[in-house]
Coordinates of all heavy atoms in Angstrom, one line a residue:
K1 N 0.9 -1.2 0.0 CA 0.0 0.0 0.0 C 0.8 1.2 -0.1 O 0.6 2.3 -0.6 CB -0.9 -0.1 1.2 CG -1.8 1.2 1.4 CD -2.9 1.2 0.2 CE -3.9 2.4 0.5 NZ -4.8 2.5 -0.6
K2 N 2.0 1.3 0.7 CA 2.9 2.4 0.9 C 3.4 2.7 -0.6 O 3.5 3.9 -1.1 CB 4.1 2.1 1.7 CG 5.1 3.2 1.9 CD 6.1 2.8 2.9 CE 7.2 4.0 3.1 NZ 8.1 4.3 1.9
I3 N 3.9 1.8 -1.4 CA 4.3 1.9 -2.8 C 3.3 2.3 -3.7 O 3.5 3.2 -4.5 CB 5.0 0.7 -3.3 CG1 6.1 0.1 -2.4 CG2 5.5 0.8 -4.8 CD1 7.2 1.3 -2.3
V4 N 2.0 1.8 -3.5 CA 0.9 2.2 -4.4 C 0.6 3.6 -4.2 O 0.3 4.4 -5.1 CB -0.3 1.3 -3.9 CG1 -1.6 1.9 -4.5 CG2 -0.1 -0.1 -4.4
N5 N 0.5 4.1 -2.9 CA 0.3 5.5 -2.6 C 1.4 6.5 -3.1 O 1.1 7.5 -3.8 CB 0.1 5.7 -1.1 CG -1.1 5.1 -0.6 OD1 -2.0 4.8 -1.3 ND2 -1.2 4.9 0.7
E6 N 2.5 6.0 -2.9 CA 3.8 6.9 -3.4 C 3.8 7.1 -4.9 O 4.2 8.1 -5.4 CB 5.1 6.3 -2.8 CG 5.3 6.4 -1.4 CD 6.6 5.7 -0.9 OE1 7.2 5.0 -1.7 OE2 6.9 5.9 0.2
N7 N 3.3 6.0 -5.6 CA 3.2 6.1 -7.1 C 2.0 6.4 -7.6 O 1.7 6.2 -8.9 CB 3.9 4.8 -7.6 CG 5.3 4.6 -7.3 OD1 6.1 4.9 -8.1 ND2 5.6 4.1 -6.2
M8 N 1.0 6.7 -6.7 CA -0.3 7.2 -7.3 C -1.0 6.2 -8.1 O -1.5 6.5 -9.2 CB -0.3 8.5 -7.9 CG 0.2 9.6 -7.0 SD 0.2 11.4 -7.7 CE 1.7 11.1 -8.8
I9 N -0.8 4.9 -7.7 CA -1.5 3.8 -8.5 C -3.0 3.8 -8.2 O -3.3 3.5 -7.0 CB -0.7 2.5 -8.2 CG1 0.7 2.6 -8.7 CG2 -1.4 1.2 -8.9 CD1 1.6 1.4 -8.2
E10 N -3.8 3.8 -9.1 CA -5.2 3.7 -9.0 C -5.8 2.5 -9.4 O -7.0 2.1 -9.1 CB -6.0 4.8 -9.7 CG -5.5 6.2 -9.2 CD -6.3 7.5 -9.8 OE1 -6.9 7.2 -10.8 OE2 -6.1 8.5 -9.3
S11 N -5.1 1.7 -10.3 CA -5.7 0.5 -10.9 C -4.6 -0.6 -11.0 O -3.4 -0.2 -11.3 CB -6.3 0.6 -12.2 OG -5.4 1.2 -13.3
L12 N -4.8 -1.8 -10.6 CA -3.8 -2.7 -10.6 C -4.2 -4.1 -11.2 O -5.2 -4.6 -10.9 CB -3.4 -3.1 -9.1 CG -2.0 -3.6 -8.8 CD1 -0.8 -2.8 -9.2 CD2 -2.0 -3.8 -7.2
G13 N -3.5 -4.5 -12.2 CA -3.8 -5.8 -12.8 C -3.4 -6.9 -11.9 O -2.3 -6.9 -11.1
F14 N -4.0 -8.1 -12.0 CA -3.7 -9.2 -11.3 C -3.9 -10.5 -12.2 O -4.6 -10.5 -13.2 CB -4.5 -9.5 -9.9 CG -5.9 -9.7 -10.1 CD1 -6.4 -10.9 -10.0 CD2 -6.9 -8.7 -10.5 CE1 -7.7 -11.3 -10.2 CE2 -8.2 -9.0 -10.7 CZ -8.7 -10.4 -10.5
E15 N -3.3 -11.6 -11.7 CA -3.5 -12.9 -12.5 C -4.6 -13.6 -12.1 O -4.5 -14.5 -11.1 CB -2.2 -13.7 -12.2 CG -0.8 -13.0 -12.6 CD 0.3 -13.5 -11.8 OE1 0.5 -13.1 -10.7 OE2 1.1 -14.3 -12.4
E16 N -5.7 -13.5 -12.8 CA -7.0 -14.1 -12.4 C -6.9 -15.7 -12.5 O -7.7 -16.3 -11.8 CB -8.2 -13.6 -13.1 CG -8.2 -13.9 -14.6 CD -7.4 -13.1 -15.5 OE1 -6.5 -12.3 -15.1 OE2 -7.6 -13.2 -16.8
A17 N -6.0 -16.2 -13.3 CA -6.0 -17.7 -13.4 C -5.2 -18.2 -12.4 O -5.2 -19.6 -12.2 CB -5.3 -18.0 -14.8
V18 N -4.6 -17.4 -11.5 CA -3.6 -18.0 -10.4 C -4.1 -17.5 -9.1 O -4.3 -18.4 -8.2 CB -2.2 -17.4 -10.6 CG1 -1.3 -17.8 -9.4 CG2 -1.6 -17.8 -11.9
M19 N -4.7 -16.3 -8.8 CA -5.1 -15.8 -7.6 C -6.5 -16.3 -7.3 O -7.4 -16.1 -8.2 CB -5.1 -14.3 -7.6 CG -5.4 -13.6 -6.2 SD -5.4 -11.8 -6.3 CE -3.7 -11.5 -6.4
N20 N -6.6 -16.9 -6.1 CA -7.9 -17.4 -5.7 C -8.8 -16.4 -5.2 O -8.3 -15.2 -4.9 CB -7.8 -18.7 -4.7 CG -7.2 -18.2 -3.3 OD1 -7.3 -17.1 -2.9 ND2 -6.3 -19.1 -2.9
V21 N -10.0 -16.6 -5.1 CA -11.0 -15.6 -4.6 C -10.6 -14.9 -3.3 O -10.8 -13.8 -3.0 CB -12.5 -16.2 -4.5 CG1 -13.4 -15.1 -4.1 CG2 -12.9 -16.6 -6.0
A22 N -10.3 -16.0 -2.4 CA -9.9 -15.4 -1.0 C -8.7 -14.4 -1.0 O -8.8 -13.4 -0.3 CB -9.5 -16.7 -0.1
D23 N -7.7 -14.8 -1.7 CA -6.6 -13.8 -2.0 C -7.0 -12.5 -2.6 O -6.5 -11.4 -2.2 CB -5.5 -14.5 -2.6 CG -4.7 -15.5 -1.8 OD1 -4.8 -15.5 -0.5 OD2 -4.0 -16.3 -2.4
Y24 N -7.8 -12.6 -3.6 CA -8.3 -11.5 -4.3 C -9.0 -10.5 -3.3 O -8.8 -9.3 -3.3 CB -9.2 -11.8 -5.4 CG -10.0 -10.6 -6.1 CD1 -9.4 -9.7 -6.9 CD2 -11.3 -10.4 -5.6 CE1 -10.2 -8.6 -7.4 CE2 -12.0 -9.2 -6.1 CZ -11.4 -8.5 -7.0 OH -12.1 -7.3 -7.4
L25 N -9.9 -11.1 -2.5 CA -10.7 -10.2 -1.6 C -9.8 -9.5 -0.5 O -10.0 -8.4 -0.2 CB -11.8 -11.1 -0.9 CG -12.8 -11.7 -1.7 CD1 -13.8 -12.7 -0.9 CD2 -13.7 -10.5 -2.2
V26 N -8.7 -10.3 -0.1 CA -7.9 -9.7 0.9 C -7.1 -8.5 0.3 O -7.0 -7.4 0.8 CB -6.8 -10.8 1.4 CG1 -5.6 -10.2 2.2 CG2 -7.6 -11.8 2.3
W27 N -6.5 -8.8 -1.0 CA -5.7 -7.7 -1.6 C -6.7 -6.5 -2.0 O -6.3 -5.4 -1.9 CB -5.1 -8.2 -2.8 CG -3.8 -8.9 -2.6 CD1 -3.6 -10.4 -2.8 CD2 -2.5 -8.4 -2.1 NE1 -2.3 -10.6 -2.3 CE2 -1.7 -9.5 -1.9 CE3 -2.1 -7.1 -1.7 CZ2 -0.3 -9.3 -1.5 CZ3 -0.9 -7.0 -1.2 CH2 0.1 -8.0 -1.1
N28 N -7.9 -6.8 -2.5 CA -8.7 -5.7 -2.7 C -9.0 -4.8 -1.6 O -9.2 -3.7 -1.7 CB -10.1 -6.3 -3.5 CG -10.9 -5.4 -4.0 OD1 -10.4 -4.6 -4.8 ND2 -12.2 -5.3 -3.7
D29 N -9.3 -5.5 -0.4 CA -9.5 -4.8 0.8 C -8.2 -4.1 1.3 O -8.4 -2.8 1.8 CB -9.9 -5.8 1.9 CG -10.3 -5.0 3.2 OD1 -11.2 -4.3 3.2 OD2 -9.6 -5.2 4.2
R30 N -7.1 -4.6 1.2 CA -5.9 -4.0 1.7 C -5.4 -2.8 0.8 O -5.1 -1.8 1.4 CB -4.7 -5.0 1.5 CG -4.6 -6.0 2.6 CD -3.6 -7.1 2.3 NE -3.3 -8.1 3.2 CZ -2.6 -9.1 3.0 NH1 -1.8 -9.2 2.0 NH2 -2.4 -10.0 4.1
L31 N -5.6 -2.9 -0.4 CA -5.2 -1.8 -1.3 C -6.2 -0.7 -1.7 O -5.9 0.4 -2.0 CB -4.6 -2.5 -2.6 CG -3.5 -3.5 -2.4 CD1 -3.0 -4.0 -3.7 CD2 -2.3 -2.9 -1.7
D32 N -7.5 -1.1 -1.6 CA -8.6 -0.1 -1.8 C -8.3 0.7 -3.2 O -8.4 1.9 -3.2 CB -8.7 0.9 -0.7 CG -9.9 1.8 -0.7 OD1 -10.8 1.3 -1.4 OD2 -9.8 2.9 -0.2
L33 N -8.2 -0.2 -4.2 CA -8.2 0.5 -5.6 C -8.9 -0.5 -6.5 O -9.4 -1.5 -6.2 CB -6.7 0.7 -6.0 CG -5.6 -0.5 -5.7 CD1 -5.9 -1.8 -6.4 CD2 -4.3 0.0 -6.1
T34 N -8.9 -0.3 -7.8 CA -9.5 -1.0 -8.8 C -8.5 -2.2 -9.3 O -7.5 -1.9 -9.7 CB -9.8 -0.1 -10.1 OG1 -10.7 0.9 -9.7 CG2 -10.6 -1.1 -11.1
M35 N -9.0 -3.3 -9.1 CA -8.1 -4.5 -9.5 C -8.8 -5.1 -10.7 O -10.0 -5.4 -10.8 CB -8.0 -5.5 -8.4 CG -7.2 -5.0 -7.1 SD -7.0 -6.3 -5.9 CE -5.8 -7.3 -6.8
I36 N -7.9 -5.3 -11.8 CA -8.4 -5.7 -13.1 C -7.8 -7.0 -13.5 O -6.4 -7.1 -13.5 CB -8.2 -4.6 -14.0 CG1 -8.9 -3.3 -13.8 CG2 -8.5 -5.0 -15.6 CD1 -8.6 -2.1 -14.6
P37 N -8.5 -7.9 -14.0 CA -7.8 -9.2 -14.5 C -6.9 -9.0 -15.6 O -7.3 -8.3 -16.7 CB -9.1 -10.0 -14.9 CG -10.2 -9.5 -14.2 CD -10.0 -8.0 -14.1
M38 N -5.6 -9.4 -15.4 CA -4.6 -9.2 -16.7 C -3.8 -10.4 -16.9 O -2.6 -10.2 -17.3 CB -3.8 -8.0 -16.2 CG -4.4 -6.5 -16.2 SD -5.0 -6.0 -17.9 CE -3.5 -5.8 -18.6
Q39 N -4.3 -11.5 -16.7 CA -3.6 -12.7 -17.0 C -3.1 -12.8 -18.4 O -2.0 -13.2 -18.8 CB -4.5 -14.0 -16.8 CG -3.8 -15.3 -17.0 CD -2.7 -15.6 -15.9 OE1 -3.0 -15.4 -14.7 NE2 -1.5 -16.1 -16.3
K40 N -3.9 -12.2 -19.4 CA -3.6 -12.2 -20.8 C -2.2 -11.5 -21.2 O -1.7 -11.9 -22.1 CB -4.8 -11.7 -21.7 CG -5.0 -10.2 -21.3 CD -6.2 -9.7 -22.2 CE -6.5 -8.2 -21.9 NZ -7.7 -7.7 -22.7
L41 N -2.0 -10.5 -20.3 CA -0.7 -9.8 -20.6 C 0.5 -10.8 -20.5 O 1.4 -10.7 -21.4 CB -0.5 -8.6 -19.5 CG 0.7 -7.6 -19.8 CD1 0.3 -6.3 -19.2 CD2 1.9 -8.2 -19.0
F42 N 0.6 -11.6 -19.4 CA 1.7 -12.5 -19.2 C 1.6 -13.7 -20.2 O 2.6 -14.1 -20.7 CB 1.7 -13.0 -17.8 CG 2.4 -12.1 -17.0 CD1 1.7 -11.5 -15.9 CD2 3.7 -11.9 -17.0 CE1 2.3 -10.6 -15.1 CE2 4.4 -11.1 -16.1 CZ 3.7 -10.4 -15.2
T43 N 0.4 -14.1 -20.5 CA 0.2 -15.2 -21.6 C 0.8 -14.7 -22.9 O 1.5 -15.4 -23.6 CB -1.3 -15.5 -21.7 OG1 -1.8 -16.0 -20.5 CG2 -1.4 -16.6 -22.8

């Protein structure tokens, strides 16, 4: 969260094919920003 705030990050991509729902909910709550599925980028 500290790095997110320092760099004014408002949207964050994540690996939806890897991250489970529980982890997604935790990160979404911790970071309080828009999380967008971006598995295709790495693929």
Side-chain angles (χ1 to χ4, degrees):
K1 180 66 173 176
K2 180 175 182 292
I3 302 299
V4 164
N5 290 341
E6 289 176 351
N7 290 270
M8 295 181 288
I9 296 172
E10 297 181 353
S11 59
L12 202 58
F14 71 98
E15 304 154 276
E16 72 273 15
V18 177
M19 185 179 291
N20 60 39
V21 174
D23 286 341
Y24 167 80
L25 292 174
V26 169
W27 280 111
N28 193 50
D29 180 65
R30 286 172 174 174
L31 302 180
D32 190 27
L33 45 64
T34 302
M35 294 188 69
I36 299 174
M38 290 296 289
Q39 182 73 41
K40 63 182 180 181
L41 183 149
F42 277 109
T43 299

